[in-house]
Amino acid sequence: MRISEASSKSGLSADTIRFYEKTGLVPAIARGPDGLRRFSPENVEWLTLLYWLRKTGMPMQEMQHFALLYRQGAQTLPQRRAVLLEHEKRLRRRRDDLDRCADVLAVKLAAYDRIEGDQP
Amino acid sequence: MRISEASSKSGLSADTIRFYEKTGLVPAIARGPDGLRRFSPENVEWLTLLYWLRKTGMPMQEMQHFALLYRQGAQTLPQRRAVLLEHEKRLRRRRDDLDRCADVLAVKLAAYDRIEGDQP
DNA sequence: ACTTGACCTGGAGTTGCTCCAGGCTCCTAA
DNA sequence: TTAGGAGCCTGGAGCAACTCCAGGTCAAGT
């Protein structure tokens, strides 16, 4: 498939996909005889994973490392597992941040209520 | 108090606080006779709120708007409430993203298990 | 033959910080 | 009293991670 389909399936914009390819986050994508990129289902699966990792705050440096492991094949599975487990921890921390922010907002909104209530 | 204390209490770095002041996100901070910034408790409360809003993904444009309302005083409380309620929705969306990513990771990790299990 | 649409490349622009050079002022300690 | 250090100042450069754009190619439809 071509880049627009890969984009809508993975969630990444076409620009971002090209950018990721340039920076080595994505293995060089095969080209058709017309010179256009042709994405395999495996390519799209990889892009989709990157989409979720980025969206939930994995820095590009860490993704670069993960991409390197990916390119090195099956014997790096244990290391890749470690990266994903580490990211699970980050997800938990982020969720805690969201919860704490929700608390802060609740307090603020309650204060707004009191102030507005004071105004007759 | 001075900037380092405001920084440790709010969570924002001193650089970020100065940057926020420059861009109008924070009202101009009073200066002591030495020319250094002196933060009031109200300043710090505002900075702390900004810290949480930014950390959980409110874009600066929206914070600018919120800051403008804040500077306009108590009669903008209803609009400020609306901004915070909108942000609560964003928190929920972000949480959904985290959960979906957790699912993706779980699937990936299970796949890794299967592949590694295959290797005798 | 010509237009349309999807794609290409290289490079500039944007957001939201972060770091740094070079220079104040105040405090402490020799 | 003077030397050093800590903490702060400003203006500006640098960075991450995109995003947008100009200018061009190619394939297919009318």
Side-chain angles (χ1 to χ4, degrees), chain A residues 16-112:
Chain A
T16 299
I17 293 172
R18 285 189 281 256
F19 171 68
Y20 281 4
E21 190 187 5
K22 235 185 275 182
T23 57
L25 261 181
V26 176
I29 302 294
R31 302 292 180 124
D34 48 9
L36 306 190
R37 292 176 181 80
R38 290 299 142 81
F39 295 79
S40 70
E42 198 201 334
N43 288 154
V44 172
E45 203 189 321
W46 177 244
L47 288 172
T48 305
L49 182 55
L50 293 186
Y51 168 78
W52 284 108
L53 295 178
R54 254 324 276 138
K55 185 159 201 181
T56 53
M58 183 180 288
M60 279 194 68
Q61 277 210 0
E62 198 172 330
M63 299 213 311
Q64 299 274 4
H65 177 223
F66 189 56
L68 179 63
L69 295 173
Y70 176 61
R71 283 202 300 281
Q72 287 170 352
Q75 86 269 16
T76 65
L77 277 173
Q79 284 115 292
R80 278 189 265 162
R81 171 199 306 282
V83 171
L84 296 189
L85 290 173
E86 199 51 46
H87 191 63
E88 279 190 334
K89 284 192 204 159
R90 183 158 21 215
L91 296 183
R92 266 173 256 135
R93 276 193 304 270
R94 294 223 151 195
R95 171 193 291 258
D96 287 350
D97 285 344
L98 295 180
D99 290 347
R100 296 232 256 145
C101 182
D103 289 348
V104 169
L105 292 189
V107 169
K108 257 308 175 208
L109 288 167
Y112 285 2

Side-chain angles (χ1 to χ4, degrees), chain A residues 45-46 48-49 51-53 55-56 66 74-75 77-78 80-82 84-85 87-88 90-91 94-102 104-106 108-109 112-113 115-116 119, chain B residues 45-46 48-49 51-53 55-56 66 74-75 77-78 80-82 84-85 87-88 90-91 94-102 104-106 108-109 112-113 115-116 119:
Chain A
E45 203 189 321
W46 177 244
T48 305
L49 182 55
Y51 168 78
W52 284 108
L53 295 178
K55 185 159 201 181
T56 53
F66 189 56
Q75 86 269 16
L77 277 173
R80 278 189 265 162
R81 171 199 306 282
L84 296 189
L85 290 173
H87 191 63
E88 279 190 334
R90 183 158 21 215
L91 296 183
R94 294 223 151 195
R95 171 193 291 258
D96 287 350
D97 285 344
L98 295 180
D99 290 347
R100 296 232 256 145
C101 182
V104 169
L105 292 189
K108 257 308 175 208
L109 288 167
Y112 285 2
D113 279 345
I115 298 169
E116 280 182 305
Q119 299 182 338
Chain B
E45 204 190 320
W46 177 245
T48 305
L49 180 54
Y51 168 79
W52 283 110
L53 294 178
K55 184 158 200 179
T56 53
F66 189 56
Q75 86 269 18
L77 278 173
R80 279 189 263 161
R81 173 202 303 284
L84 297 190
L85 290 174
H87 191 64
E88 278 189 335
R90 181 155 26 212
L91 296 183
R94 292 226 152 194
R95 175 194 286 260
D96 287 351
D97 286 343
L98 294 180
D99 290 347
R100 297 232 256 145
C101 182
V104 169
L105 292 189
K108 256 308 176 208
L109 287 167
Y112 285 2
D113 279 344
I115 296 169
E116 281 181 305
Q119 298 182 341

Side-chain angles (χ1 to χ4, degrees), chain B residues 5-112:
Chain B
E5 198 181 341
S7 164
S8 61
K9 282 192 176 157
S10 68
L12 296 169
S13 76
D15 269 330
T16 299
I17 293 172
R18 285 189 283 254
F19 171 69
Y20 280 4
E21 191 188 4
K22 234 185 279 181
T23 56
L25 261 180
V26 176
I29 301 296
R31 302 292 180 123
D34 48 8
L36 305 190
R37 291 175 181 82
R38 290 300 141 82
F39 295 80
S40 70
E42 198 201 333
N43 287 154
V44 171
E45 204 190 320
W46 177 245
L47 288 172
T48 305
L49 180 54
L50 293 186
Y51 168 79
W52 283 110
L53 294 178
R54 254 323 278 139
K55 184 158 200 179
T56 53
M58 183 181 287
M60 278 193 67
Q61 276 210 0
E62 198 172 329
M63 300 212 311
Q64 300 273 5
H65 177 224
F66 189 56
L68 178 63
L69 295 173
Y70 176 61
R71 283 202 300 281
Q72 287 171 350
Q75 86 269 18
T76 65
L77 278 173
Q79 285 114 293
R80 279 189 263 161
R81 173 202 303 284
V83 171
L84 297 190
L85 290 174
E86 200 48 48
H87 191 64
E88 278 189 335
K89 284 192 206 160
R90 181 155 26 212
L91 296 183
R92 265 173 257 133
R93 263 178 276 131
R94 292 226 152 194
R95 175 194 286 260
D96 287 351
D97 286 343
L98 294 180
D99 290 347
R100 297 232 256 145
C101 182
D103 289 349
V104 169
L105 292 189
V107 169
K108 256 308 176 208
L109 287 167
Y112 285 2

